Every structure is written in C-alpha cells, then in structure tokens.
Amino acid sequence: MKVDSFRFKIIISVILVLMIVGINLLLSIMLYHIETSNTGMQFKSYIDVFIWSMMLYLDVPWKYNDFIPVTDYGKIIYFVIAVLKIIIYAIPTGILAGLLIKYLENRQKFEELKSNQKKLNKAFRRMQCRYTYWRTVPRYLSMTDLQIKLGIGADKIIETVDFSQKSNKEIRYRLRNLADTLNIQHRPQDRLVVEQFPINKVYGCFINRNSNVTIVSTSSVEEAATGTFAFYLAMVGGFNYVSKEVKANPEENFSYYNIDTNYIKSDKNIYHFLNDIKSLKSKWVIFILSSDGKDGRIYPTQFHFLHGAKRGDSSYTDPNITIKQKCINDYDKFYKEISQKLDQKYNLKSDQQMYHSASSCKYIGRHVGDKVNAFTMRIAWSVTCWDDRYMDIIKTIAIDINQYLAKNNRYKIPEDELKEKGYGYKYQYLLSN
C-alpha cells in the first residue's frame, strides 16, 4: 500500500470526525434553545449540552446522563445525535481497521518479497569458467531451474523480480525471453530466464577505473547477456564501464545507441548517460551491442566492427569516421590482430562495416566528445548469450585492447578477484563511484 494512500485515508477520517463534531455542536445549540424555552431544562449553557451529547458517544457516566428531551423537535435532534454516535464510531473505525489490515497484509507481503529476494541473490552463485577458471555471475538462470532451487512458484519469482526493480538496491533483476536471441527460422520455443544486473546511476551502471578506454553498453536493458559481456570485458581489461540498465519510462522503446534530440527531450537519463561518458575523458570509447536477433537475418560473421563509415566501406577515407587520423593505425592493428585471434582460437569470423552502418548523425559515437576515438563491436548472440567460451573470448579481446589501444602493457588481469567465490556482482565496484 502506498504511503500517500494511507495518509489520504487518515486525513479523510479526521475530517469526517471533525465534521460530525461540528454538526453535533450545532445540534447541541439547537437542542438547548428548544428544550430550555419549552421545558426549563437543567442545562446551564451550550457547553453543558455539547458535553452531554459527546458523553453519549463515549458512554461515560455524567450528571446529565439521564436527560431525555421532551419536545418533539428535541426528540428528533436526540435521534440525530444517536445516529451520529453510530457514524462517528463505525466509519472511522472501519476505515482505520481496513487500513490496519491492509498494512499488515502489505507488511507480510513485503517481508515475503525480501525473503525471496535473498533466495534469488544466493541463486546467482558465481560459476567457474572451465576455460579461464574464473568465477563470474551467470549470464542468466532459467525460470524452471529457479523454481526447483528456490522452491517457489513462477508467479512469486516474477513478483520478486518486479520488486527488485522498484527497490533502491545496487543489484536488481529482470526477465528475459531467450527466444528473442534465436533466429525465427529455427522456430525457437519461449524460454523465460532471470538476469541479474548492477546499478548505481539513474540510467544504470557507472564504474570509473581511470582508464583511457571506456566500455559502453547502450542496450543492456533490451538485449540479453550484452550487459554481462560488456561488464566483464571492462573488468578484465581494467577499463571504465557505462551501461544503460533501466528505462526512463515503460513506454520507451529505444536504445541509447542512436541519439536523437527528441529522445533527449523525452528521456531525462540520456543527458546523465552522455555526461558521465564525457566526464571520464577517455581516449577510446567502445560500444558493445548485439548484431542479430529473431528477424530472419543471418550473417556469416559473428563480430562486426564499425568505425563510423557507411555500410560496405571498410576504408578509413570517409571524413566522418569516428577514429581520429593519428589513431587510425592503432585501431587498424587492433582490428587485424583481434580478427585473426578470434578466427584461429574460436572459429569466429569478423567483418568491418560489411553488414552494419554507423554513418548516421544519430550514432552515439558522434556525441561523446570531439577528442574521443569511438567504435562499435556488434557481437552475435551466439557468442554473448550461448557460447560457453565467452569469458575466454573476453580475455582475448581485453588483452588486445590493452596492447593496441590503451597501450598498457604492464596491466595485469585481476585474477584473484575473478576467482573469488560468492554471489552476484560485488558491491564495492558500485559504491566507489
């Protein structure tokens, strides 16, 4: 029950009681005049009559308790006062009793949701990757598995997920349908899962590691596993991290990958999102998002690199590209090296500007600063969502970003932190900003 609703009903009850007391005072004055002028009643003042009427409500012994009006009008007023006696108890008492019952029910529901949230937290035990031996947060847990592990129904899990999104906790949950990550030609079955995500900003998550490389996920709230992939790429490489994890309003249906002036007007969070990216003053900003879905398109490559040119233009001659002239050589070396490693180690193919475009003026890479080198890695869901080697793939990409872009050859992957046991994302990453 909302606090505003509770206060409103209390105010209504108080106003009702005051109105009845006011009416009772008016009736007492009328009764005094009617009875005094006709019978010489024993009351000495209006106050005596008013107190007598109030004592009727309270059933408290008093010297005038045995008074009964004699006149017809006096009897009518007496009857009205008697009715008011019922109303003054029945209505406020009913309202307050209903509020109390509702409060206790909601309190019980709240405690149940908190208990279920703790169970959900523990369900997201960090799992060990058999390729890197790191322990990381699961990309998702299936609804069926959670029902078995937690011993609660699907409806309770959904309520708990919704409850987490309305709380002020740094770790929250959302529902996903993994059928959205599979091509429609395969006729995928609906598969409902729960995803955990960190949040410490109005738009999502912000982590400043004082790196000259920032990893940005513009669509974590819309795309399954994309946020997890981007989070660990930033963590493994020691990079800054910015991610959109929440919607400004339920009707919003756009990501922050394309920035439109109309979006900025309708979504107050875009300003904070862009401003935080700019505040990091990174030399390189890398955007991570998915490349495919259930719309029927199948690409022969799994990694799509975009540097701001038009679709089909893999050169660096377009004056509108988002890589600065003096940094093109570093970016080209990185692209060639990582493409070769992804192919040789994982049989994953890459392309540059072949199937996607970032030439639009709305492309976010054009809005993060004039001195910034920005490019996008669009990655197939077959990698981010379904490939069990994804942490090893992240490790390979992070090493090459450090070598060719960050040029931090002394950086060491935080192996100890990545091997820690526990549940979910670590709070200290979020509280330090």
Side-chain angles (χ1 to χ4, degrees), residues 303-315:
F303 280 80
H304 312 273
F305 290 80
L306 311 173
H307 56 260
K310 295 180 180 179
R311 184 185 290 109
D313 182 6
S314 60
S315 70

Side-chain angles (χ1 to χ4, degrees), residues 190-428:
D190 287 337
R191 183 182 176 188
L192 198 62
V193 300
V194 176
E195 189 176 65
Q196 187 186 78
F197 62 95
I199 180 169
N200 60 359
K201 291 283 186 173
V202 292
Y203 57 79
C205 187
F206 173 86
I207 300 175
N208 180 8
R209 295 189 173 97
N210 297 311
S211 171
N212 67 348
V213 174
T214 296
I215 304 298
V216 178
S217 176
T218 61
S219 310
S220 296
V221 67
E222 290 95 3
E223 300 177 351
T226 300
T228 304
F229 190 96
F231 177 91
Y232 278 110
L233 176 60
M235 180 181 173
V236 172
F239 312 131
N240 308 321
Y241 177 64
V242 183
S243 177
K244 180 196 176 187
E245 300 286 354
V246 298
K247 293 182 179 181
N249 58 73
E251 291 76 27
E252 176 202 330
N253 59 356
F254 56 86
S255 79
Y256 288 175
Y257 186 66
N258 292 305
I259 303 297
D260 188 290
T261 54
N262 292 326
Y263 294 168
I264 295 176
K265 292 178 182 178
S266 64
D267 186 347
K268 61 183 179 181
N269 293 346
I270 291 181
Y271 170 80
H272 300 292
F273 186 79
L274 289 175
N275 194 54
D276 280 348
I277 296 174
K278 293 176 183 178
S279 71
L280 295 168
K281 298 180 179 180
S282 298
K283 184 177 180 180
W284 294 90
V285 175
I286 304 172
F287 302 100
I288 307 294
L289 71 160
S290 67
S291 66
D292 51 11
K294 59 180 182 179
D295 59 3
R297 290 175 294 178
I298 300 177
Y299 302 112
T301 53
Q302 290 76 44
F303 280 80
H304 312 273
F305 290 80
L306 311 173
H307 56 260
K310 295 180 180 179
R311 184 185 290 109
D313 182 6
S314 60
S315 70
Y316 304 106
T317 57
D318 189 329
N320 294 316
I321 64 173
T322 50
I323 306 292
K324 306 306 174 187
Q325 191 67 35
K326 61 181 180 180
C327 297
I328 288 177
N329 189 47
D330 293 333
Y331 172 75
D332 189 59
K333 287 180 179 178
F334 163 73
Y335 169 70
K336 290 177 179 177
E337 179 69 17
I338 193 62
S339 298
Q340 184 179 21
K341 287 183 178 179
L342 290 171
D343 188 9
Q344 292 178 351
K345 293 182 67 174
Y346 311 106
N347 194 30
L348 296 172
K349 309 300 181 183
S350 305
D351 72 77
Q352 187 165 224
Q353 300 286 159
M354 186 64 66
Y355 303 105
H356 298 276
S357 172
S359 60
S360 170
C361 62
K362 298 178 182 179
Y363 170 49
I364 190 175
R366 307 185 191 283
H367 296 264
V368 292
D370 296 334
K371 298 181 180 180
V372 174
N373 296 284
F375 69 93
T376 297
M377 281 196 295
R378 299 192 71 133
I379 309 172
W381 264 315
S382 60
V383 177
T384 58
C385 196
W386 296 104
D387 197 324
D388 65 345
R389 305 168 299 175
Y390 79 103
M391 282 308 302
D392 196 51
I393 295 169
I394 284 173
K395 178 180 179 180
T396 300
I397 296 173
I399 289 172
D400 276 8
I401 291 175
N402 262 312
Q403 181 177 350
Y404 291 99
L405 305 181
K407 296 186 177 180
N408 187 1
N409 295 323
R410 295 183 179 180
Y411 176 76
K412 293 183 179 180
I413 294 171
E415 298 273 355
D416 292 341
E417 292 183 18
L418 286 163
K419 291 180 179 179
E420 286 184 13
K421 296 180 179 180
Y423 308 101
Y425 292 95
K426 298 178 182 179
Y427 289 98
Q428 56 264 38

Side-chain angles (χ1 to χ4, degrees), residues 140-145 175-182 188-194 224 385-386:
Y140 48 78
L141 294 176
S142 77
M143 185 67 76
T144 303
D145 286 345
L175 296 173
R176 295 286 198 200
N177 186 359
L178 293 188
D180 292 339
T181 67
L182 300 172
Q189 296 290 323
D190 287 337
R191 183 182 176 188
L192 198 62
V193 300
V194 176
C385 196
W386 296 104

Side-chain angles (χ1 to χ4, degrees), residues 1-6 9 98-100 102-104 106:
M1 179 176 56
K2 295 181 179 179
V3 175
D4 290 343
S5 175
F6 179 82
K9 290 180 178 179
L99 287 172
L100 179 60
K102 190 69 175 178
Y103 172 79
L104 294 174
N106 279 275

